[in-house]
Amino acid sequence: MPLPDTLTLAAFALLALALLAESLRLSWPSRLAALSSVGVAVASGLVQPLGAVALAAALGVSLAARHYRRPELWLVWIALLLALALHALPGFNNPLLWQGLSTPDSAPYRLYWSYDKGAAGWLLLMVLAASPQPQRRWGVAAAGVGALLLLVVLGLASVAGVIAWAPKWPHWLLPWLFANFFLVSLAEEAFFRAGLQRWLELRTEPFPALMAAAVAFGLVHVAGGWVWVGLATLAGLGYGLVYAATRQVLWATLAHVAFNAVHLILFTYPRLM
């Protein structure tokens, strides 16, 4: 499996460093790494002129949203980040690292490194770092319940015939882990847990906030069918419990990646044909 060229690898490495630093609230190292990443990405052709314009616009709106708490501004900000995360904006040459069937009975899968989604995750974390946080942590017991719930989800998915037992060790596992942690799970957990669940919890009770964020997470998987929505909702509850236990988006992200990795290594991935 060929990896991207050296400049493209450097752009993604710097973006990963920026995401990690921002999730730890190290603002200046994060911003330096992010700006360096964009510069290298433009030089490598990973980000083309229209993509650079889109990133500049998203950064400007994000900085405004960080300093001015106006509902209409936040709606524009969320719309821009969603457009980036869903690859709706032109100008990004996201590399395809692998495509095919992970097992003979699995649905086709394509492994992309999506720079636009990773950038959207960084912008989201950058704004959320300045937002108020719930003070109460639910404790280790909640995290344990969340982890058990994630195991139950895998069992239910197998019983429902969505996935099946298929142990393997894909040769593209390491690039997949990089993409799944930095470019997928971290962005999703920032949005649904550090964003939506946190925002709702500051305005209502903790349990309704947890449930609403989990249902929203499930509904974005509607393309896979209603069984997939139900399973994703339960998984969202698991991630939400880990977040509520720790108030750290990194722990929710680690739970998300661990769940996905067990799914990939031990079961058909992404699902049965």
Side-chain angles (χ1 to χ4, degrees):
M1 180 188 63
L3 288 173
D5 61 75
T6 303
L7 276 179
T8 299
L9 284 173
F12 277 109
L14 286 165
L15 178 59
L17 182 61
L19 283 160
L20 189 60
E22 195 62 55
S23 65
L24 295 172
R25 301 195 177 190
L26 302 173
S27 58
W28 285 110
S30 167
R31 293 172 190 180
L32 179 60
L35 289 174
S36 300
S37 174
V38 172
V40 175
V42 170
S44 71
L46 175 62
V47 174
Q48 298 164 347
L50 284 177
V53 171
L55 288 176
L59 175 61
V61 174
S62 297
L63 290 173
R66 182 182 168 101
H67 292 97
Y68 303 104
R69 306 287 169 170
R70 298 177 63 89
E72 62 274 17
L73 179 60
W74 275 61
L75 286 175
V76 173
W77 172 63
I78 291 171
L80 262 176
L81 293 195
L82 285 174
L84 275 174
L86 296 174
H87 321 300
L89 299 179
F92 297 92
N93 188 24
N94 294 321
L96 173 64
L97 273 72
W98 184 85
Q99 62 179 334
L101 305 180
S102 62
T103 53
D105 56 350
S106 70
Y109 175 67
R110 292 182 175 182
L111 172 60
Y112 281 98
W113 278 6
S114 299
Y115 192 89
D116 43 3
K117 187 168 185 176
W122 181 81
L123 290 168
L124 180 61
L125 286 168
M126 186 266 293
V127 174
L128 292 177
S131 301
Q133 303 292 323
Q135 296 302 311
R136 179 190 169 194
R137 296 184 181 184
W138 291 19
V140 176
V145 171
L148 287 174
L149 184 56
L150 294 175
L151 294 177
V152 169
V153 171
L154 288 171
L156 289 174
S158 182
V159 170
V162 176
I163 59 176
W165 182 255
K168 57 192 170 300
W169 193 263
H171 67 277
W172 38 270
L173 179 61
L174 288 180
W176 178 90
L177 282 171
F178 176 88
N180 203 260
F181 186 96
F182 290 106
L183 309 176
V184 178
S185 298
L186 186 53
E188 292 180 358
E189 292 308 305
F191 182 83
F192 287 101
R193 255 54 69 179
L196 182 59
Q197 183 176 329
R198 177 202 58 80
W199 185 85
L200 289 171
E201 192 170 341
L202 291 171
R203 290 158 177 80
T204 183
E205 296 298 319
F207 187 72
L210 169 68
M211 291 297 298
V215 170
F217 180 75
L219 288 174
V220 301
H221 294 80
V222 71
W226 289 107
V227 173
W228 200 256
V229 168
L231 293 168
T233 299
L234 290 176
L237 279 175
Y239 307 144
L241 284 167
V242 172
Y243 173 73
T246 63
R247 299 301 176 196
Q248 294 289 332
V249 70
L250 270 182
W251 283 109
T253 301
L254 286 170
H256 197 150
V257 173
F259 174 84
N260 288 346
V262 171
H263 176 188
L264 170 64
I265 293 170
L266 296 182
F267 297 91
T268 44
Y269 188 89
R271 59 184 299 164
L272 284 168
M273 183 76 72

